[in-house]
Amino acid sequence: MPSLHHHHDAVDLRSDTVTRPTPQMLEAMACAPLGDDGLDGDPTVRALEETAAQRFGKAAGLFVASGTMGNLVAVLAHGRMPGEVLAEAGSHLLNAERAAAGLTGMHYRSLPGDGGLIALPALEAALDTSASARCPSALVAVENTHNARGGSVAAPESLAALHALAARHGVPVHTDGARLFNAAVALGLSCREIAAHTDSVTVCLSKGLSAPVGSVLMGPADFITRARGIRRMLGGTMRQAGVIAAAGLVALEHMVDRLAEDHARARRLHQGLRAIHPAWCAAELPQTNIVQVRVGTSAADARLWEARLAEAGVLVRTGSAGLLRLVTHRHIDDKAVDSTLQAFTRLHHDN
């Protein structure tokens, strides 16, 4: 691996989680009013929770350490034990958070998807809350944007249909909205509109929005009260957490609209890569800030490219077999896109 100081000079496309806090965030962190979030509350944390909930049209919010913690708390707070969490086969909640799933005592079931959402016929067949159900449906999980599908955005009408179907069976819907702000910006919708068709939602502040730490879980008031107790049980009560919540408030207020720049650069990167070698990228442009590049057919092919690109000063991550994942964010400017395309051109000619 390149040394740490090298990462600062490198074009880091590994994830939008590498974003560092803005000067405005650091200033807000230094002067944030603080309290004890486990005792009488931290005023800055409360302000973040209320601001986020209001923005997303939910009754209440809960500041959590990470998106994984938010999803875990949500499953436990919705959960009817023992029950089944229905998730789309490629979802992060099912694949990357599998170890956390083991802590819930719930059964996670993988269902086939259509554009990153559970296909409605499959959901209809799987939903069962009858008294005789072997493992009653407890929760339907949605992911927006969909990480493994290259940051694809769920269409609001598809979300509405899915929510209506789950509601007919009395089963709540939870959205893993790690990059929900990206979805809102891509569709030109408000956060409220994008979260209308879900009972609870987690959003990350530490990805494209540049806050250093944290996510917010939002939903009905009684749900968030239960979630707060579960967060405590998981060791997630963070005392003077206003220090980091202050950066989250700046992220909500000032860092959402600029995501459009990341999307534009992802499209430019995608088009540039297709121009070098058409087989690398699909014909459709990325909808948000994730570019998938198929450099081979095996994980070994992708790992070799990852290593060679790192030597050339471009950091990427290996996705599934033969895929590289490049994620644009605030620190990736036009010059970084150019350097990346140059590195790919050189390696392509060397091959």
Side-chain angles (χ1 to χ4, degrees):
M1 256 332 262
S3 65
L4 282 178
H5 72 268
H6 180 66
H7 279 187
H8 268 327
D9 315 327
V11 174
D12 197 342
L13 292 158
R14 289 172 304 165
S15 180
D16 44 9
T17 57
V18 302
T19 47
R20 292 182 290 282
T22 64
Q24 193 183 2
M25 284 177 188
L26 294 170
E27 200 176 314
M29 291 165 82
C31 355
L34 303 176
D36 187 319
D37 202 39
L39 298 175
D40 42 11
D42 178 290
T44 308
V45 171
R46 290 283 184 270
L48 173 62
E49 289 171 343
E50 285 162 21
T51 305
Q54 209 170 353
R55 181 88 41 107
F56 282 88
K58 301 300 173 203
L62 179 69
F63 186 47
V64 289
S66 65
T68 299
M69 181 186 264
N71 289 337
L72 175 61
V73 169
V75 170
L76 288 165
H78 279 300
R80 286 170 277 199
M81 312 279 273
E84 197 159 56
V85 178
L86 304 171
E88 185 270 334
S91 61
H92 195 273
L93 180 106
L94 196 66
N95 298 298
E97 300 173 23
R98 196 169 289 169
L103 304 174
T104 63
M106 308 283 273
H107 178 66
Y108 282 55
R109 182 164 162 199
S110 161
L111 293 175
D114 177 22
L117 284 178
I118 299 171
L120 284 183
L123 184 60
E124 180 75 85
L127 282 166
D128 187 0
T129 48
S130 64
S132 61
R134 291 195 181 95
C135 190
S137 308
L139 186 63
V140 173
V142 165
E143 184 178 330
N144 194 17
T145 69
H146 197 287
N147 186 339
R149 285 185 63 94
S152 64
V153 177
E157 48 278 14
S158 307
L159 291 169
L162 187 127
H163 191 227
L165 173 56
R168 276 205 299 280
H169 290 264
V171 177
V173 173
H174 171 66
T175 297
D176 171 357
R179 295 182 177 86
L180 200 70
F181 294 102
N182 290 91
V185 167
L187 292 172
L189 294 175
S190 68
C191 294
R192 185 179 287 261
E193 289 168 306
I194 208 101
H197 308 297
T198 189
D199 299 289
S200 63
V201 55
T202 319
V203 298
C204 287
L205 306 170
S206 62
K207 293 195 165 77
L209 300 195
S210 277
V213 180
S215 292
V216 184
L217 170 64
M218 294 160 279
D222 59 334
F223 165 82
I224 292 295
T225 300
R226 279 198 307 283
R228 198 171 286 279
I230 291 161
R231 183 188 71 171
R232 180 185 296 277
M233 189 174 78
L234 296 175
T237 302
M238 294 185 288
R239 306 304 174 194
Q240 287 77 41
V243 170
I244 47 177
L249 271 168
V250 172
L252 282 184
E253 298 299 340
H254 301 285
M255 301 303 289
V256 177
D257 294 340
R258 69 147 306 284
L259 293 174
E261 296 169 31
D262 300 344
H263 298 176
R265 291 196 173 102
R267 291 193 293 272
R268 224 187 104 215
L269 194 52
H270 177 101
Q271 284 166 315
L273 289 165
R274 264 182 74 82
I276 302 164
H277 189 46
W280 277 345
C281 299
E284 312 74 74
L285 286 171
Q287 287 180 285
T288 53
N289 67 325
I290 300 178
V291 179
Q292 290 183 324
V293 192
R294 187 166 293 290
V295 290
T297 52
S298 71
D301 291 337
R303 278 197 298 271
L304 189 62
W305 272 87
E306 184 184 337
R308 284 182 182 156
L309 284 163
E311 282 165 23
V314 176
L315 306 177
V316 302
R317 273 169 92 190
T318 304
S320 53
L323 269 186
L324 296 177
R325 190 182 84 130
L326 284 57
V327 186
T328 56
H329 51 79
R330 186 170 75 86
H331 304 315
I332 300 298
D333 55 11
D334 290 331
K335 194 164 138 283
V337 172
D338 294 336
S339 310
T340 303
L341 292 172
Q342 283 157 11
F344 269 95
T345 301
R346 281 198 306 276
L347 288 173
H348 181 50
H349 290 320
D350 294 348
N351 269 359

